[in-house]
Amino acid sequence: MDPVSRDLDRETGHPWPEREATADLQTQMGDMQIAGGEDMLLDDYDVVDEKHDVAEITPEGSTDEPTEPLADDYAGMRERVLPKLPDLEPEFETTYTWHIENYRNLTRKERGPKFECGGHPWRILLFPFGNNVEYASLYLEQAHEDEDKPKEGWYSCVQFTLVMWNKNNPSIYSCHTANHRFNAEESDWGFTRFSELRKMFAAQWDGAGRPMVEHDAVNVTAYVRIYKDPTGVLWHSFENYNSKKETGMVGLKNQGATCYLNSLLQSLYFTNAFRKAIYRIPTEHETEKKNSAWALQRLFYLLQTSEDAVSTQELTHSFGWETRHIFEQQDVQELSRILMDRMEVRMKGTDAENALNKMFVGKTKTYISCINVEYESSKIEDFWDIQLNVSGNRNLDDSFRDYVQVETMDGENKYFAEGYGLQDARKGVIFESFPQVLHLQLKRFEYDINRDAMMKVNDRYEFPEVFDATPYLSEGADRSEPYLYQLHGVLVHSGDLTAGHYYAFLKPAIDGHFYKFDDDKVIRATLKEALEENFGGDYANAVNGAGVRNPYTRTVSTKRSMSAYMLVYVRKSREKDILVDVTEDDTPTHLGKREVANALKLLTINIARQLDDERIALEKRRKEREEQHLYLHVHVVTDDNFKAHQGFDLTSWEMESNAPSSPQMYRVLKSSTVGDFTRTVAESLQVPPEQARLWAMVNRQNKTTRPDQPLPDLNMTITEAYSRFSTRDKPFRLWVETATTVEDGQALWPNVNPSPSLAAPILIFLKHFNPDDQTLKGVGHIYMRKTSKVADMIPAIQQLMGWSPSRESVSLSSPPSSGLPSPPYSTPSSSMCLYEEIKHSMIEPMKPKATLQQAEIQDGDIVCFQRALSEKEASAIASTGRYTDAREFYDYLMNRIMVRFSPKLAPEPEGSVFDLALSRKMSYDQFSAKVGEYLKVDPTHLRFSTVLASTGKPKAPIRRGQASTLAQMLMPALGTYANANQRPDQLFYEVLEMSISELETKRNMRVTWLPEGVMKEEPMDVLAPKNGVVQDLIPLIQRKVNLAEEEASTLRLFETHQCRIGKELDPKTAIVSIPDYAVLYAELIPEEERAASDEDRAMYAFHFDKEPAKTHGVPFKFVIKPGELFKDTRQRLSKRTGIKGKQFDKLKFAITQRSAYSRPTYLNDEDELYALASRADDQLGLDHVNRTRLFPGKGDSIFIR
């Protein structure tokens, strides 16, 4: 690729070229004099977009080959530079040449004369000195003017080549080619870096002896070809693409890795008879999210009525899937079968019963027929889909012939026919009938024995549009209707085993087109796109063996990565029944169809009202923006705000505006006076203006905001008040005081003198901490002289609270020894504690004999008071996790955190999930007491676990004994393992049958119970005493698996390491001696082992995959008998393990030693295991594939709740 093409290819990923400082052209181009100067820089409006994903660029033409056509040979040049695209039908084409003179005198942007192609005007757009680059920029532009605009939705799919050439020597030329979908939004397309300016004006163009631009002239030829658009989306960028508008259908949103689910659901949805059958399931009385039938009905209804892509979240939630299931690829056939089973169960007893059977179920006959005698054993079975081999077959018919091929049973493999003995026979499968809707599962994923892994089969495999299934029917099958099938759907996988994407090609109507359903997009497709491009195999147009990059796996391959994995055929004689129209009457009423008309009317009214409201709000915001410089925002705190506030200071400035303690914000005209604003505030408080006074609030150095002094002059403007009493660039904050003493309608304000006179009264705010209610609220304010003592505030507090005055001395620092009554405190023996709220982290007790001046009390300070508690009262309050001291409560407020508690074990009954406000400094016992109080359970029986942030699942139980705070439990130190991926605001809880202290004496043991050989495993957790022995585990396991006493006496536990038996656990073995990493199994000692003779011997057996080091599965103990051939031993092994049939036949058996690197000695049927296994460390190995590792990254088996 030449330099120009490389630059263009690199640039097309960036629609707007990066601006650079442009030097003078004389400097850039030597002595060359080019007009244009400053005009070479363009506004963003003039920068023409380019997109890499639709432009295909060819190299510049070469003048070295004499056989190449010249630029003025238009027919020859068109054939060379504009070859026709395969599979597309040209509609119009034309050639036009623009003769450009006086190149150096051109303006920054020039348009050539119009020319016509396909009934529409076109022209060449030239930036002679570059579109913000040092290259000439050339584009093709549709030339519709404003008065001649094309109709809405116009577009044209154009392949074009632009050729710049020397008019005196047409062998000198440069060309570039592109494809583009022209429309009103993208009206021009081309090449920003068409040709380098320096090169164009050089003395020689590629050694041709003359420049490209000669005598200030050059020609530009446009070769234009317009193609028909067979699908409506040819070269579409899919920006602002509307599936509903273009196709009348909508897609499904991908939740993460649910594209496989989306393709299956769309296939079932457009099997209209299936959709109607689903609608017939009665769900009107059970419309809940756990009902999969209702959720599927809802999904289908939304696909019918929605204008946008539909979410599948309701459906997957009804399946019981969690977040991890959403991000796991699953097997489509398995999902289809489970979904069908669930829907069948829901249809039983309704008028939809057997609807799915009639649609999807066919019959096969498995037979063994004797050749020489008239004897046949056969079994007829139902099938819902057919799995067909792809590997080794070229097409669908080959796969069916492979499926029904006959196996001859002769020689050593003769069949034992009852009454006839061993006979030569034929064994096979034949079809008795095919269903109306035929689902064919193509086995694109197979185990590759050479690679020892599952691999995708990308071989070419053809399937027809019409398939005849008649040749694969039995002779006695009913042929009254032809078994011709029309292709209805192709479900495709693109990628490989570990990464890929699923989508579907479906044909919704009998005589309609195929459409591609790719998650949320629905696009019309051609028959070739639906069939041939999904056959797999090599790319037909691969050049010189070059591969194609797959967007999902990011690998390059010559084989197509996209291939069909499931085909849906509909029997042609039943197409009208299967693809029947689904009308409004078919939709269940509770899904909303009958209410649509009324809903639309209501929606229209609501939309009109909403539009009016939006217009009014928009106009209001516009006016506010225009007048913003005339107004000032003022925040006003009232006594009601202070009394409703529980926290520091008078209020919280960050609180929501609708909270009772939130200050009121006013938008005040800057030119208005303080008196005007006072009247506005008084009106909102419903008091006379004379009884309201505004105080300026200041930000103190200790980061508190307190009232400082009243605004002295009611006639000053708000702007003047703001500049005098507030800090620049800070909000203007005021406190409004309402008069408590009024005479003749006039307020009597205390004479607050800002001078340092000792006689001036001090404004003090009071807060009350109630230890019983655990509240800290403002109660009002008082005025005191600086010479007053701290104890002098007590009468004012009692009067404010409505308490009877105390006749005894009042304690301000410590509670009295005698008990005190609960509020209201009316006894004369009441004691009180006072604290000054200096700042958030400093709450200091006050000395009763100190004066307010000595205590450094000033205007706006806050004093907190509480009644003193007796030791008995304090102990009772503390036992419930509450605070007894105001300082403790302040500390709690500073460290307060909202924690969500959820039950660890599902389901979650109503009210079981709750939020509690706790302190970060709380210990385990303290916050456990709070949770126990809420749940009304003994807090000693509560256990808590942290939460994984990624999944929302329990992470690890919190140990009660650890000396850490709630903050440390929720947010461990950074860099620790516990900190990784943990929620800082949520815990799970469990209510245990025993206390935590008792639980700490137990050890949780994970034991796997083996009820049937080694094939079935049932893990369980048992709590065993830490200081106990293995014998203590037996009754616990007995209760878990419901064993009788007699059976429990034969219970055996053994310990395994790396899937080999380490040792059998003696009943007297101490539990503490069992390592945490050991895997424990429990089983009943087999009858064969209990009845073994003295000559019999036992050996350990394990499973491995080709190499003894690659162990897997459950090991076991096995009895071997002297003189027994291995063919008989195999039968006992099958019974011992529970493995039977074909699965057991695939096993290979070997003798191997305990060492993981020993070489296995494989056994034959005639071998005697007893004699060969003579060493003490000999073990029996079962060699077979480890199925648990065949699907890396695949999740658990799929399920539907």
Side-chain angles (χ1 to χ4, degrees):
M1 185 179 288
D2 60 83
V4 174
S5 298
R6 274 201 303 272
D7 281 349
L8 177 61
D9 196 40
R10 188 163 55 242
E11 178 193 317
T12 50
H14 305 280
W16 303 103
E18 182 176 347
R19 293 185 179 274
E20 298 176 357
T22 305
D24 186 88
L25 282 177
Q26 291 182 352
T27 304
Q28 296 181 35
M29 304 179 64
D31 297 330
M32 204 170 296
Q33 299 298 315
I34 299 181
E38 298 176 357
D39 288 340
M40 288 188 65
L41 284 178
L42 302 178
D43 297 331
D44 284 348
Y45 176 82
D46 294 316
V47 179
V48 182
D49 195 5
E50 296 182 29
K51 292 187 176 62
H52 177 64
D53 55 350
V54 292
E56 298 177 4
I57 311 305
T58 59
E60 293 183 2
S62 171
T63 58
D64 296 334
E65 292 292 336
T67 57
E68 290 185 354
L70 301 178
D72 58 357
D73 177 7
Y74 298 132
M77 282 294 290
R78 180 189 300 110
E79 185 176 349
R80 179 187 179 277
V81 302
L82 198 70
K84 291 183 179 179
L85 300 174
D87 304 321
L88 292 176
E89 181 182 352
E91 194 171 15
F92 306 100
E93 63 181 41
T94 193
T95 303
Y96 177 78
T97 299
W98 178 16
H99 305 283
I100 301 173
E101 305 288 342
N102 299 318
Y103 195 99
R104 289 179 174 83
N105 295 322
L106 296 177
T107 61
R108 63 177 183 177
K109 180 169 64 175
E110 295 282 349
R111 289 182 167 89
K114 294 182 182 180
F115 61 93
E116 188 270 340
C117 184
H120 296 281
W122 304 87
R123 62 189 169 203
I124 299 169
L125 173 63
L126 168 67
F127 292 82
F129 308 113
N131 187 0
N132 289 334
V133 292
E134 295 176 17
Y135 289 75
S137 304
L138 267 177
Y139 308 90
L140 179 67
E141 180 182 54
Q142 61 95 355
H144 286 286
E145 304 294 344
D146 290 340
E147 65 276 4
D148 184 32
K149 282 186 177 180
K151 62 182 181 179
E152 185 179 354
W154 172 85
Y155 68 90
S156 185
C157 298
V158 180
Q159 176 196 22
F160 65 95
T161 297
L162 299 178
V163 181
M164 179 181 285
W165 53 285
N166 185 305
K167 60 186 296 184
N168 300 314
N169 184 353
S171 65
I172 299 175
Y173 63 86
S174 174
C175 65
H176 294 289
T177 302
N179 308 325
H180 184 60
R181 183 186 185 92
F182 287 84
N183 53 44
E185 288 75 30
E186 295 182 349
S187 59
D188 43 48
W189 201 260
F191 316 99
T192 300
R193 297 175 182 267
F194 185 88
S195 188
E196 191 176 3
L197 290 170
R198 179 184 55 80
K199 188 177 177 183
M200 287 169 55
F201 289 92
Q204 294 191 46
W205 174 273
D206 286 348
R210 53 206 313 168
M212 172 69 79
V213 181
E214 189 173 21
H215 306 306
D216 235 13
V218 73
N219 289 346
V220 177
T221 300
Y223 296 90
V224 180
R225 180 178 295 128
I226 299 177
Y227 284 94
K228 291 182 179 180
D229 183 4
T231 62
V233 292
L234 180 62
W235 302 329
H236 204 301
S237 66
F238 293 104
E239 291 183 11
N240 302 318
Y241 179 77
N242 188 320
S243 296
K244 186 77 169 185
K245 179 180 177 182
E246 300 297 333
T247 66
M249 295 167 283
V250 296
L252 293 169
K253 296 177 183 177
N254 192 332
Q255 294 187 52
T258 56
C259 48
Y260 72 98
L261 172 67
N262 291 349
S263 60
L264 176 65
L265 290 173
Q266 291 282 22
S267 169
L268 295 174
Y269 171 78
F270 285 107
T271 306
N272 294 353
F274 176 82
R275 194 190 334 165
K276 291 184 73 168
I278 295 299
Y279 282 158
R280 287 159 59 192
I281 300 174
T283 60
E284 59 272 16
H285 299 302
E286 42 184 322
T287 53
E288 57 180 19
K289 290 186 176 181
K290 293 182 179 179
N291 184 339
S292 54
W294 175 78
L296 188 59
Q297 288 179 343
R298 281 262 304 168
L299 181 76
F300 284 176
Y301 175 73
L302 290 173
L303 284 173
Q304 282 179 206
T305 59
S306 179
E307 295 296 319
D308 302 304
V310 177
S311 171
T312 57
Q313 283 185 341
E314 271 188 358
L315 184 66
T316 54
H317 188 277
S318 74
F319 290 171
W321 291 4
E322 300 170 353
T323 304
R324 63 187 178 89
H325 297 115
I326 299 303
F327 290 92
E328 291 172 352
Q329 295 281 8
Q330 299 288 356
D331 182 66
V332 173
Q333 182 200 19
E334 187 180 3
L335 172 63
S336 176
R337 285 297 303 115
I338 295 173
L339 182 60
M340 294 288 189
D341 288 342
R342 287 293 300 156
M343 294 305 107
E344 259 205 308
V345 171
R346 295 307 310 274
M347 290 177 178
K348 285 184 178 178
T350 72
D351 61 353
E353 189 170 0
N354 293 324
L356 301 187
N357 271 276
K358 293 176 183 177
M359 265 185 280
F360 297 102
V361 174
K363 294 186 183 298
T364 59
K365 182 174 78 171
T366 305
Y367 65 88
I368 300 177
S369 178
C370 294
I371 297 173
N372 301 316
V373 297
E374 290 194 8
Y375 181 88
E376 181 179 284
S377 172
S378 63
K379 182 181 180 182
I380 294 179
E381 296 177 301
D382 291 343
F383 70 86
W384 287 77
D385 49 48
I386 304 171
Q387 291 194 59
L388 298 174
N389 289 323
V390 171
S391 184
N393 295 309
R394 295 171 303 168
N395 52 45
L396 196 61
D397 281 301
D398 281 358
S399 290
F400 267 95
R401 283 191 284 269
D402 176 55
Y403 196 93
V404 300
Q405 70 176 336
V406 179
E407 175 189 353
T408 302
M409 303 175 69
D410 56 10
E412 294 182 355
N413 194 32
K414 285 186 177 182
Y415 173 67
F416 182 83
E418 189 174 351
Y420 297 95
L422 294 174
Q423 294 288 329
D424 293 340
R426 295 185 180 92
K427 178 182 178 181
V429 178
I430 197 71
F431 291 94
E432 290 293 317
S433 67
F434 289 99
Q436 299 175 21
V437 181
L438 183 59
H439 282 182
L440 302 179
Q441 305 287 343
L442 307 183
K443 295 167 71 172
R444 284 285 182 183
F445 298 96
E446 287 189 350
Y447 177 71
D448 188 325
I449 194 168
N450 296 318
R451 292 185 174 91
D452 187 25
M454 293 292 290
M455 300 294 292
K456 184 178 179 184
V457 180
N458 278 322
D459 298 345
R460 182 176 177 85
Y461 180 88
E462 299 178 6
F463 47 89
E465 187 179 6
V466 177
F467 170 63
D468 185 2
T470 309
Y472 314 109
L473 288 167
S474 67
E475 293 180 0
D478 180 8
R479 289 178 169 80
S480 57
E481 283 184 47
Y483 280 94
L484 289 175
Y485 284 84
Q486 180 72 41
L487 185 64
H488 171 67
V490 181
L491 277 63
V492 180
H493 177 266
S494 177
D496 59 21
L497 180 73
T498 57
H501 180 58
Y502 292 85
Y503 50 90
F505 291 91
L506 301 172
K507 186 179 176 184
I510 296 175
D511 298 321
H513 303 283
F514 274 96
Y515 290 86
K516 181 181 179 181
F517 293 81
D518 188 355
D519 286 337
D520 55 354
K521 287 193 191 72
V522 183
I523 306 163
R524 185 178 159 187
T526 63
L527 188 62
K528 180 182 178 182
E529 288 174 327
L531 273 75
E532 186 177 334
E533 291 188 3
N534 298 307
F535 287 165
D538 295 331
Y539 283 98
N541 57 349
V543 180
N544 297 326
V548 176
R549 181 176 295 276
N550 183 274
Y552 307 106
T553 63
R554 299 184 180 181
T555 57
V556 176
S557 174
T558 57
K559 281 189 177 293
R560 293 180 184 272
S561 65
M562 69 286 288
S563 52
Y565 69 92
M566 178 176 169
L567 305 175
V568 181
Y569 282 94
V570 177
R571 196 171 181 180
K572 289 180 71 69
S573 58
R574 301 295 179 93
E575 273 187 306
K576 291 183 179 179
D577 298 329
I578 299 301
L579 302 181
V580 61
D581 290 338
V582 180
T583 65
E584 194 173 302
D585 291 333
D586 295 317
T587 309
T589 57
H590 59 279
L591 296 182
K593 74 176 183 62
R594 299 266 174 91
E595 292 81 11
V596 168
N598 293 333
L600 284 175
K601 289 180 183 177
L602 183 61
L603 181 63
T604 304
I605 295 171
N606 289 338
I607 289 175
R609 186 180 295 126
Q610 183 180 355
L611 290 174
D612 288 340
D613 293 342
E614 287 177 359
R615 278 193 292 269
I616 294 170
L618 189 64
E619 179 63 24
K620 183 180 178 181
R621 286 195 297 271
R622 184 192 64 77
K623 188 176 180 181
E624 286 177 354
R625 283 196 303 271
E626 291 176 354
E627 299 177 350
Q628 187 172 359
H629 65 287
L630 302 175
Y631 288 86
L632 181 70
H633 287 124
V634 181
H635 301 264
V636 179
V637 183
T638 67
D639 282 340
D640 289 339
N641 298 145
F642 178 54
K643 292 175 182 178
H645 177 58
Q646 173 154 296
F648 302 99
D649 261 4
L650 272 66
T651 186
S652 173
W653 303 101
E654 289 78 26
M655 195 167 294
E656 295 180 3
S657 59
N658 58 351
S661 60
S662 176
Q664 179 70 37
M665 190 189 75
Y666 294 87
R667 187 169 176 261
V668 186
L669 198 63
K670 291 180 179 179
S671 59
S672 62
T673 65
V674 171
D676 295 333
F677 183 52
T678 302
R679 283 188 285 275
T680 301
V681 175
E683 183 179 350
S684 67
L685 296 176
Q686 298 180 349
V687 298
E690 298 80 11
Q691 298 177 22
R693 179 165 68 165
L694 298 177
W695 286 62
M697 302 185 74
V698 296
N699 297 321
R700 297 183 178 179
Q701 289 184 350
N702 60 9
K703 298 183 179 179
T704 62
T705 305
R706 305 285 175 83
D708 182 59
Q709 58 179 300
L711 300 182
D713 185 3
L714 296 180
N715 294 319
M716 76 169 68
T717 64
I718 291 294
T719 303
E720 292 171 340
Y722 175 62
S723 62
R724 285 181 57 185
F725 300 103
S726 185
T727 307
R728 182 179 294 275
D729 300 327
K730 296 291 184 181
F732 194 17
R733 293 170 176 170
L734 303 175
W735 171 65
V736 57
E737 178 185 14
T738 55
T740 55
T741 307
V742 180
E743 287 186 5
D744 299 328
Q746 296 298 317
L748 299 180
W749 304 109
N751 184 20
V752 178
N753 186 356
S755 69
S757 170
L758 295 178
I762 305 172
L763 171 67
I764 301 174
F765 289 90
L766 298 173
K767 287 184 180 179
H768 175 224
F769 171 59
N770 188 332
D772 295 305
D773 298 339
Q774 296 288 284
T775 56
L776 177 68
K777 298 286 185 71
V779 295
H781 62 278
I782 57 174
Y783 285 92
M784 300 293 294
R785 299 285 179 184
K786 289 186 178 181
T787 55
S788 301
K789 294 184 178 181
V790 172
D792 294 339
M793 287 192 288
I794 299 302
I797 293 173
Q798 290 174 331
Q799 182 180 0
L800 195 65
M801 297 296 293
W803 298 342
S804 300
S806 173
R807 298 178 184 174
E808 306 294 334
S809 61
V810 178
S811 168
L812 297 178
S813 58
S814 60
S817 58
S818 58
L820 293 175
S822 298
Y825 312 111
S826 57
T827 63
S829 60
S830 293
S831 297
M832 202 177 298
C833 301
L834 269 66
Y835 307 91
E836 182 188 357
E837 181 186 316
I838 300 174
K839 61 179 181 179
H840 296 181
S841 58
M842 188 179 293
I843 313 298
E844 297 291 339
M846 302 181 73
K847 297 178 180 179
K849 295 182 180 180
T851 64
L852 296 181
Q853 186 177 13
Q854 291 171 337
E856 300 181 356
I857 299 299
Q858 60 183 354
D859 283 324
D861 281 354
I862 298 174
V863 173
C864 173
F865 63 93
Q866 73 168 96
R867 71 182 180 93
L869 302 175
S870 67
E871 292 183 6
K872 182 178 179 181
E873 286 178 312
S875 176
I877 292 173
S879 65
T880 59
R882 293 180 293 169
Y883 299 97
T884 60
D885 186 276
R887 289 169 294 185
E888 293 178 351
F889 194 75
Y890 270 107
D891 184 74
Y892 156 70
L893 292 178
M894 191 167 64
N895 292 282
R896 181 168 49 182
I897 180 176
M898 292 300 296
V899 182
R900 169 153 292 187
F901 291 90
S902 306
K904 187 174 182 180
L905 302 177
E908 300 177 353
E910 188 175 349
S912 61
V913 179
F914 56 91
D915 297 326
L916 287 181
L918 304 172
S919 170
R920 291 181 176 88
K921 291 186 175 181
M922 280 183 168
S923 66
Y924 187 102
D925 289 340
Q926 286 174 326
F927 79 77
S928 179
K930 286 283 189 183
V931 177
E933 181 182 7
Y934 181 90
L935 293 172
K936 296 180 174 56
V937 299
D938 187 344
T940 62
H941 284 58
L942 287 171
R943 181 168 66 172
F944 302 93
S945 301
T946 52
V947 181
L948 275 168
S950 57
T951 63
K953 296 297 178 186
K955 186 177 180 184
I958 301 172
R959 295 186 61 183
R960 174 175 173 267
Q962 61 187 20
S964 57
T965 63
L966 177 61
Q968 293 168 332
M969 297 175 203
L970 289 171
M971 293 171 285
L974 289 173
T976 62
Y977 170 76
N979 179 265
N981 194 22
Q982 183 170 309
R983 285 287 299 268
D985 59 354
Q986 186 177 357
L987 291 173
F988 283 103
Y989 68 88
E990 301 169 81
V991 181
L992 305 176
E993 295 179 358
M994 64 184 72
S995 67
I996 293 291
S997 56
E998 184 182 355
L999 181 65
E1000 288 172 350
T1001 66
K1002 307 285 186 181
R1003 176 180 173 182
N1004 185 56
M1005 308 284 289
R1006 170 56 65 96
V1007 180
T1008 301
W1009 168 244
L1010 303 173
E1012 301 171 7
V1014 298
M1015 292 298 291
K1016 188 176 180 181
E1017 302 175 51
E1018 296 178 2
M1020 68 179 76
D1021 290 313
V1022 291
L1023 287 172
K1026 288 182 179 178
N1027 57 356
V1029 294
V1030 170
Q1031 182 64 42
D1032 298 327
L1033 284 173
I1034 293 177
L1036 300 175
I1037 297 172
Q1038 179 186 354
R1039 285 197 296 271
K1040 287 271 188 180
V1041 298
N1042 297 320
L1043 289 178
E1045 287 292 339
E1046 184 179 348
E1047 291 178 306
S1049 63
T1050 64
L1051 195 65
R1052 170 170 63 198
L1053 281 88
F1054 57 92
E1055 176 185 315
T1056 69
H1057 304 279
Q1058 296 181 341
C1059 300
R1060 292 175 183 250
I1061 294 178
K1063 63 179 178 181
E1064 296 178 50
L1065 296 178
D1066 187 274
K1068 296 180 181 179
T1069 301
I1071 286 176
V1072 293
S1073 67
I1074 301 174
D1076 292 333
Y1077 56 81
V1079 180
L1080 302 182
Y1081 289 93
E1083 66 174 353
L1084 296 178
I1085 300 174
E1087 176 65 31
E1088 180 183 59
E1089 189 176 333
R1090 297 200 302 269
S1093 66
D1094 294 338
E1095 294 180 350
D1096 294 341
R1097 199 167 69 237
M1099 70 183 303
Y1100 290 144
F1102 69 99
H1103 308 262
F1104 68 93
D1105 189 349
K1106 295 186 178 179
E1107 298 175 17
K1110 297 180 179 179
T1111 57
H1112 62 92
V1114 181
F1116 58 95
K1117 187 176 181 181
F1118 181 66
V1119 174
I1120 56 176
K1121 298 178 179 293
E1124 182 182 60
L1125 297 181
F1126 193 69
K1127 63 180 180 180
D1128 299 321
T1129 306
R1130 285 173 61 95
Q1131 295 178 5
R1132 291 195 300 110
L1133 277 166
S1134 175
K1135 182 179 179 181
R1136 174 70 178 91
T1137 59
I1139 307 173
K1140 298 180 175 65
K1142 291 182 178 179
Q1143 189 176 359
F1144 186 80
D1145 293 341
K1146 294 178 181 178
L1147 300 184
K1148 292 187 289 185
F1149 299 88
I1151 296 175
T1152 180
Q1153 281 70 53
R1154 181 78 187 177
S1155 169
Y1157 302 101
S1158 63
R1159 178 167 296 185
T1161 303
Y1162 286 91
L1163 298 168
N1164 298 316
D1165 283 352
E1166 302 305 318
D1167 289 334
E1168 185 183 338
L1169 178 58
Y1170 190 93
L1172 294 175
S1174 57
R1175 297 175 50 172
D1177 64 340
D1178 279 344
Q1179 294 189 349
L1180 177 64
L1182 284 67
D1183 182 1
H1184 58 103
V1185 174
N1186 179 8
R1187 296 290 177 185
T1188 59
R1189 65 177 178 83
L1190 294 184
F1191 293 90
K1194 185 181 184 298
D1196 300 335
S1197 295
I1198 199 166
F1199 66 92
I1200 295 177
R1201 175 169 54 196

